[in-house]
Amino acid sequence: MTLDQATIAQLAERLENAELNRQPVTRITDAYPDMDWDDAYGIQSAIRKRKVARGNKIAGLKMGLTSRAKMKQMGVETPVYGFLPDYGSYADGAEIDMATFIHPRVEAEVAIVTRTELSGPGCHIGQVLPAIDFVVAAVEIIDSRYENFRFDLKSVIADNTSAAGFVAGSMIREAADLDMPTLGVVMEKNGEIVELGAGAAVLGHPASSVAMLANMLASRDEAIPAGAFIMTGGITAAVAVGKGDAINVRFQDLGKVSMSFK
Ligand code: OOG
Ligand code: MG
C-alpha cells in the first residue's frame, strides 16, 4: 500500500460519483503514479462497501481482460476482477436506457455459477469443473468511468473493472454437457455480425478464469462463495452501443442473449 486510508476513501468516492452522475473523470494514476495493486483493489473494495452500506446487493463477480482480444483492445496484459452490483442486472430482451451510462460497450461472455466454495492459492480447473452448478450465456455491459475509456491496469481495477451491467441468458447447462473451449459465439449488432469467437479465447477455457479468480481473491484472504454468479470475461473485443442499437448474441449450446438500447 502506498496510499493512506483517507486517499483511498476519497478516490473511491470520486470514482463512484463518476458512475452515479455519469460524469467521466481522469485516470487516477495520473495523480497517483506510485499507487500499487493493493491500493487499486483497496479502492475497488471501498466502492463495494459504499454500495453495500447504501443497501445494494452484490449480484456476482467478474473477471476481465482474460482474452487476447480484450487485452489488445485495451492495451493491457493482465486479467483483473471486480464485482457486479445488483442494479446492473437486466432481463434477457430488456430495453436499456442509454442515460444510465457514459459510453457503454457490450461483451459476450460465458458465465459460471458455483455450487461449492472455491478458494486459492493453487486453485485449478480440476477443482473448478466439479464445483460448477451450471453454465449460462451472458453479455456484460461495461462503461469505464474514465474519459475516452482510457485507462491503465491499476486505474481500471480501482474503477471496478468498468462493471456497469449484465444480461444473463435463460438456458442453463451442466458443465459436463458442454465443451466450453469450442463453444462458439456470434455477436450481432442491428442484424450484422460484428464479433465472432469461441470459449477458448478466455484463458484456454472459461473455467480457468474461475480458478484464476479464486487465486487472485486468496491474496486478499477472500474466496469465491458457493452459489456465486461469475462472468468469466469477454470472449471477443467489446462493441460500442448507442441509442437505437439492438444486440443479439448467439451462443452454441446455450441459446441467445439480446437487448436493445433506447
Ligand atoms: C475492463 C473490463 C474488461 C472483460 O470482460 O474483459 C472486462 C474494460 O475493458 O473496460 O470486463
Ligand atoms: Mg467483461
Side-chain angles (χ1 to χ4, degrees), residues 73-97:
Q73 183 178 33
M74 305 321 296
V76 289
E77 294 281 319
T78 315
V80 294
Y81 69 85
F83 65 90
L84 305 171
D86 57 358
Y87 56 81
S89 170
Y90 295 94
D92 189 14
E95 251 198 297
I96 303 175
D97 192 350

Short mmCIF file of all heavy atoms in Angstrom, two decimals, residues 73-97:
data_model
loop_
_atom_site.label_atom_id
_atom_site.label_comp_id
_atom_site.label_asym_id
_atom_site.label_seq_id
_atom_site.Cartn_x
_atom_site.Cartn_y
_atom_site.Cartn_z
N GLN A 73 -7.41 -4.80 -27.23
CA GLN A 73 -8.27 -3.63 -27.38
C GLN A 73 -7.95 -2.57 -26.33
O GLN A 73 -7.96 -1.38 -26.63
CB GLN A 73 -9.75 -4.06 -27.26
CG GLN A 73 -10.74 -2.92 -27.47
CD GLN A 73 -12.20 -3.39 -27.40
OE1 GLN A 73 -12.54 -4.31 -26.67
NE2 GLN A 73 -13.06 -2.75 -28.18
N MET A 74 -7.65 -2.99 -25.11
CA MET A 74 -7.45 -2.04 -24.02
C MET A 74 -5.97 -1.75 -23.74
O MET A 74 -5.66 -0.91 -22.90
CB MET A 74 -8.12 -2.54 -22.73
CG MET A 74 -9.61 -2.87 -22.86
SD MET A 74 -10.60 -1.75 -23.90
CE MET A 74 -10.46 -0.20 -23.00
N GLY A 75 -5.06 -2.46 -24.41
CA GLY A 75 -3.64 -2.18 -24.25
C GLY A 75 -3.08 -2.61 -22.90
O GLY A 75 -2.14 -1.99 -22.39
N VAL A 76 -3.65 -3.65 -22.32
CA VAL A 76 -3.14 -4.17 -21.04
C VAL A 76 -2.99 -5.68 -21.14
O VAL A 76 -3.58 -6.31 -22.01
CB VAL A 76 -4.07 -3.80 -19.86
CG1 VAL A 76 -3.99 -2.33 -19.58
CG2 VAL A 76 -5.49 -4.20 -20.16
N GLU A 77 -2.24 -6.28 -20.24
CA GLU A 77 -1.82 -7.67 -20.40
C GLU A 77 -2.23 -8.61 -19.28
O GLU A 77 -1.90 -9.78 -19.32
CB GLU A 77 -0.28 -7.70 -20.50
CG GLU A 77 0.27 -7.02 -21.73
CD GLU A 77 0.16 -7.90 -22.98
OE1 GLU A 77 0.42 -9.11 -22.86
OE2 GLU A 77 -0.22 -7.36 -24.03
N THR A 78 -2.87 -8.10 -18.23
CA THR A 78 -3.12 -8.95 -17.07
C THR A 78 -4.61 -9.01 -16.75
O THR A 78 -5.27 -7.96 -16.72
CB THR A 78 -2.39 -8.37 -15.83
OG1 THR A 78 -1.08 -8.00 -16.23
CG2 THR A 78 -2.33 -9.36 -14.69
N PRO A 79 -5.15 -10.19 -16.46
CA PRO A 79 -6.55 -10.26 -16.05
C PRO A 79 -6.79 -9.54 -14.71
O PRO A 79 -5.88 -9.41 -13.89
CB PRO A 79 -6.81 -11.77 -15.91
CG PRO A 79 -5.81 -12.40 -16.82
CD PRO A 79 -4.58 -11.54 -16.68
N VAL A 80 -8.01 -9.09 -14.55
CA VAL A 80 -8.41 -8.34 -13.34
C VAL A 80 -9.76 -8.87 -12.88
O VAL A 80 -10.45 -9.55 -13.65
CB VAL A 80 -8.54 -6.83 -13.66
CG1 VAL A 80 -7.19 -6.23 -14.01
CG2 VAL A 80 -9.53 -6.57 -14.81
N TYR A 81 -10.17 -8.55 -11.66
CA TYR A 81 -11.51 -8.97 -11.24
C TYR A 81 -12.26 -7.79 -10.63
O TYR A 81 -11.66 -6.78 -10.22
CB TYR A 81 -11.46 -10.14 -10.26
CG TYR A 81 -10.89 -9.83 -8.89
CD1 TYR A 81 -11.69 -9.30 -7.87
CD2 TYR A 81 -9.55 -10.07 -8.60
CE1 TYR A 81 -11.18 -9.02 -6.62
CE2 TYR A 81 -9.03 -9.80 -7.34
CZ TYR A 81 -9.84 -9.26 -6.36
OH TYR A 81 -9.33 -8.98 -5.12
N GLY A 82 -13.58 -7.95 -10.58
CA GLY A 82 -14.42 -6.92 -9.99
C GLY A 82 -15.71 -7.56 -9.50
O GLY A 82 -15.83 -8.78 -9.45
N PHE A 83 -16.68 -6.71 -9.14
CA PHE A 83 -17.96 -7.24 -8.66
C PHE A 83 -19.11 -6.66 -9.48
O PHE A 83 -18.96 -5.62 -10.13
CB PHE A 83 -18.14 -6.92 -7.16
CG PHE A 83 -18.25 -5.46 -6.86
CD1 PHE A 83 -19.49 -4.82 -6.86
CD2 PHE A 83 -17.11 -4.69 -6.59
CE1 PHE A 83 -19.60 -3.46 -6.61
CE2 PHE A 83 -17.22 -3.32 -6.34
CZ PHE A 83 -18.45 -2.72 -6.34
N LEU A 84 -20.27 -7.34 -9.43
CA LEU A 84 -21.44 -6.91 -10.19
C LEU A 84 -22.51 -6.41 -9.23
O LEU A 84 -23.09 -7.20 -8.49
CB LEU A 84 -22.00 -8.10 -10.99
CG LEU A 84 -21.03 -8.83 -11.93
CD1 LEU A 84 -21.69 -10.12 -12.46
CD2 LEU A 84 -20.63 -7.94 -13.09
N PRO A 85 -22.80 -5.11 -9.22
CA PRO A 85 -23.86 -4.61 -8.34
C PRO A 85 -25.23 -5.07 -8.85
O PRO A 85 -25.44 -5.19 -10.05
CB PRO A 85 -23.74 -3.09 -8.43
CG PRO A 85 -22.56 -2.78 -9.27
CD PRO A 85 -22.16 -4.02 -10.00
N ASP A 86 -26.14 -5.30 -7.92
CA ASP A 86 -27.48 -5.82 -8.26
C ASP A 86 -28.22 -4.96 -9.28
O ASP A 86 -28.90 -5.49 -10.16
CB ASP A 86 -28.33 -5.97 -6.98
CG ASP A 86 -28.49 -4.68 -6.19
OD1 ASP A 86 -27.92 -3.63 -6.59
OD2 ASP A 86 -29.18 -4.70 -5.15
N TYR A 87 -28.07 -3.65 -9.20
CA TYR A 87 -28.89 -2.79 -10.07
C TYR A 87 -28.45 -2.85 -11.53
O TYR A 87 -29.10 -2.30 -12.41
CB TYR A 87 -28.88 -1.33 -9.56
CG TYR A 87 -27.50 -0.73 -9.41
CD1 TYR A 87 -26.82 -0.22 -10.49
CD2 TYR A 87 -26.89 -0.68 -8.15
CE1 TYR A 87 -25.56 0.33 -10.35
CE2 TYR A 87 -25.62 -0.14 -7.99
CZ TYR A 87 -24.97 0.36 -9.11
OH TYR A 87 -23.70 0.89 -8.95
N GLY A 88 -27.32 -3.53 -11.80
CA GLY A 88 -26.86 -3.66 -13.18
C GLY A 88 -27.43 -4.89 -13.88
O GLY A 88 -27.12 -5.15 -15.04
N SER A 89 -28.29 -5.64 -13.18
CA SER A 89 -28.83 -6.86 -13.76
C SER A 89 -30.05 -6.56 -14.61
O SER A 89 -31.02 -5.97 -14.13
CB SER A 89 -29.21 -7.81 -12.61
OG SER A 89 -29.92 -8.90 -13.11
N TYR A 90 -30.01 -6.92 -15.89
CA TYR A 90 -31.14 -6.69 -16.81
C TYR A 90 -31.65 -8.03 -17.33
O TYR A 90 -30.87 -8.96 -17.53
CB TYR A 90 -30.70 -5.82 -18.00
CG TYR A 90 -30.29 -4.43 -17.60
CD1 TYR A 90 -28.96 -4.12 -17.34
CD2 TYR A 90 -31.24 -3.42 -17.45
CE1 TYR A 90 -28.58 -2.85 -16.95
CE2 TYR A 90 -30.88 -2.14 -17.07
CZ TYR A 90 -29.54 -1.86 -16.82
OH TYR A 90 -29.17 -0.60 -16.44
N ALA A 91 -32.95 -8.10 -17.58
CA ALA A 91 -33.53 -9.33 -18.12
C ALA A 91 -33.17 -9.48 -19.59
O ALA A 91 -32.97 -8.49 -20.30
CB ALA A 91 -35.05 -9.27 -17.96
N ASP A 92 -33.12 -10.72 -20.03
CA ASP A 92 -32.89 -11.00 -21.44
C ASP A 92 -33.99 -10.31 -22.25
O ASP A 92 -35.17 -10.37 -21.88
CB ASP A 92 -32.94 -12.52 -21.64
CG ASP A 92 -32.51 -12.94 -23.03
OD1 ASP A 92 -31.94 -12.10 -23.76
OD2 ASP A 92 -32.74 -14.10 -23.38
N GLY A 93 -33.60 -9.60 -23.29
CA GLY A 93 -34.57 -8.90 -24.13
C GLY A 93 -34.88 -7.48 -23.65
O GLY A 93 -35.69 -6.79 -24.27
N ALA A 94 -34.24 -7.06 -22.58
CA ALA A 94 -34.56 -5.74 -21.99
C ALA A 94 -34.26 -4.59 -22.96
O ALA A 94 -33.37 -4.68 -23.82
CB ALA A 94 -33.76 -5.53 -20.71
N GLU A 95 -35.02 -3.51 -22.77
CA GLU A 95 -34.74 -2.25 -23.46
C GLU A 95 -34.03 -1.40 -22.43
O GLU A 95 -34.60 -1.05 -21.39
CB GLU A 95 -36.07 -1.58 -23.79
CG GLU A 95 -36.45 -1.57 -25.24
CD GLU A 95 -37.51 -0.52 -25.50
OE1 GLU A 95 -38.61 -0.67 -24.93
OE2 GLU A 95 -37.22 0.44 -26.21
N ILE A 96 -32.79 -1.10 -22.66
CA ILE A 96 -31.95 -0.49 -21.63
C ILE A 96 -31.74 0.99 -21.93
O ILE A 96 -31.42 1.37 -23.07
CB ILE A 96 -30.60 -1.25 -21.54
CG1 ILE A 96 -30.88 -2.75 -21.25
CG2 ILE A 96 -29.69 -0.64 -20.49
CD1 ILE A 96 -29.65 -3.63 -21.27
N ASP A 97 -31.92 1.81 -20.92
CA ASP A 97 -31.85 3.26 -21.08
C ASP A 97 -30.39 3.73 -21.18
O ASP A 97 -29.60 3.56 -20.25
CB ASP A 97 -32.53 3.89 -19.86
CG ASP A 97 -32.78 5.37 -20.05
OD1 ASP A 97 -32.26 5.95 -21.04
OD2 ASP A 97 -33.49 5.95 -19.21
#
